[in-house]
Amino acid sequence: LAAGIELIHGAALIHDDVMDHAVYRRNQPSLNASFGYEPAIAFGDYMYSKGMDLIARLNNPEIIKCVAQAALGMCEGELMQVMKRGDLGLKKHTYMTIIKKKTALLMSSSCASSVILINKDDRTVRAFSAFGLNFGVAFQIVDDCLDIIGNSRDLGKPAGSDIEMGEMTLPLIYATGSGLSGTKRTLKNILRRGKMSDKEKEAIIVSGAIHKAADTARMYIDNARRDLGEIKESLFKKRLIDLTEHVFSRLLVKGI
């Protein structure tokens, strides 16, 4: 189950790198940079298929359905994101739909299917599924903030890639609605050029958009922790809670 889900995750990252023309991932050359776009796409497809093959070997229809729906949602989220590139008027609820499908659904599926595998009751499955979804949303919001204020070494992938591809993320959405004079014009120029100067980055930070996005991520982290409230105390529960804190700490080290 774990290997199958990780293969599906890896396939999604390979396809992301192809679509974003990324030259490296996890501080290593991306597959498309090393071997070309066609082999990268084909190998991503192979990884998706191999992952689903491993899941199918569990002979558990509920798990197969859980993971398959997540994989379908990931594709839908990616399509929505691509179609909305360059849309300065992107609404927050549309952004949230995209990241829930593109990122959080697989994390939710990972948590839920693991619980299904050990035959736990529906209430426990729902609790872990909700935890994964809230954790996944928080993870993606933090990642989108770091795309603006982080550096490529820390991210393990090119910083500013969202802006380069014209994608409106939550901090940019908040910056657009900040009401500060010239902010919307600044964002339009950034997305048109696919680059952001230090002065423009400072304008986004001054607008309060990064802090507001961080507060939203914290809300989802708090929700994730609450989802585990009725789960009995254990080392494993503690590790999941530690993981939520680790995700948010990526912003704290940047002074957010």
Side-chain angles (χ1 to χ4, degrees), residues 2-19:
I5 288 175
E6 185 53 29
L7 282 169
I8 293 168
H9 175 221
L13 296 182
I14 289 171
H15 286 163
D16 275 357
D17 289 344
V18 168
M19 298 183 76

Side-chain angles (χ1 to χ4, degrees), residues 35 42 91 114 139 224:
F35 300 102
K91 302 298 183 183
S114 302
F139 178 91

Side-chain angles (χ1 to χ4, degrees), residues 78-246:
E78 186 66 47
L79 280 168
M80 287 180 67
Q81 186 176 60
V82 170
M83 296 302 293
K84 291 295 184 178
R85 282 177 174 171
D87 183 1
L88 199 65
L90 186 72
K91 302 298 183 183
K92 179 183 174 181
H93 67 84
T94 304
Y95 164 85
M96 297 303 296
T97 298
I98 290 171
I99 68 171
K100 283 177 181 178
K101 286 178 174 287
K102 190 169 180 283
T103 301
L105 270 182
L106 188 65
M107 295 189 181
S108 177
S109 171
S110 302
C111 295
S113 56
S114 302
V115 178
I116 295 169
L117 188 66
I118 56 174
N119 298 312
K120 285 292 184 181
D121 59 273
D122 289 345
R123 181 185 62 82
T124 307
V125 172
R126 287 194 298 270
F128 276 88
S129 176
F131 167 83
L133 191 72
N134 283 312
F135 174 81
V137 169
F139 178 91
Q140 188 59 58
I141 293 173
V142 169
D143 206 57
D144 289 345
C145 289
L146 291 174
D147 189 72
I148 297 172
I149 63 172
N151 59 64
S152 299
R153 180 176 53 80
D154 292 338
L155 289 170
K157 60 182 181 179
S161 58
D162 293 334
I163 287 171
E164 185 177 347
M165 299 309 297
E167 290 167 1
M168 282 290 287
T169 57
L170 189 61
L172 298 183
I173 291 170
Y174 281 150
T176 302
S178 67
L180 288 182
S181 176
T183 303
K184 194 166 185 176
R185 185 173 62 253
T186 296
L187 286 174
K188 185 180 287 187
N189 291 335
I190 290 171
L191 294 179
R192 188 185 68 248
R193 295 196 318 271
K195 292 181 181 179
M196 178 173 57
S197 68
D198 290 340
K199 185 177 180 180
E200 289 168 334
K201 181 190 295 187
E202 185 62 29
I204 292 174
I205 294 172
V206 168
S207 76
I210 301 294
H211 283 88
K212 191 173 180 180
D215 288 342
T216 304
R218 168 54 76 181
M219 181 188 74
Y220 278 94
I221 285 173
D222 290 342
N223 289 343
R225 293 171 68 121
R226 278 195 293 271
D227 292 327
L228 298 179
E230 295 184 20
I231 305 302
K232 70 177 182 179
E233 298 301 320
S234 69
L235 174 65
F236 310 106
K237 177 179 176 179
K238 183 179 185 303
R239 288 291 179 265
L240 288 176
I241 292 173
D242 289 345
L243 195 58
T244 63
E245 290 304 315
H246 169 71

Side-chain angles (χ1 to χ4, degrees), residues 28-86:
Q28 298 293 327
S30 65
L31 210 62
N32 49 277
S34 297
F35 300 102
Y37 288 98
E38 291 86 354
I41 293 169
F43 191 68
D45 291 343
Y46 173 78
M47 287 180 68
Y48 259 122
S49 303
K50 185 62 177 177
M52 292 307 301
D53 176 62
L54 289 178
I55 300 298
R57 294 184 195 185
L58 295 170
N59 292 318
N60 188 314
E62 195 174 351
I63 290 177
I64 294 171
K65 180 181 178 181
C66 182
V67 177
Q69 286 179 338
L72 176 63
M74 291 164 69
C75 294
E76 291 173 348
E78 186 66 47
L79 280 168
M80 287 180 67
Q81 186 176 60
V82 170
M83 296 302 293
K84 291 295 184 178
R85 282 177 174 171

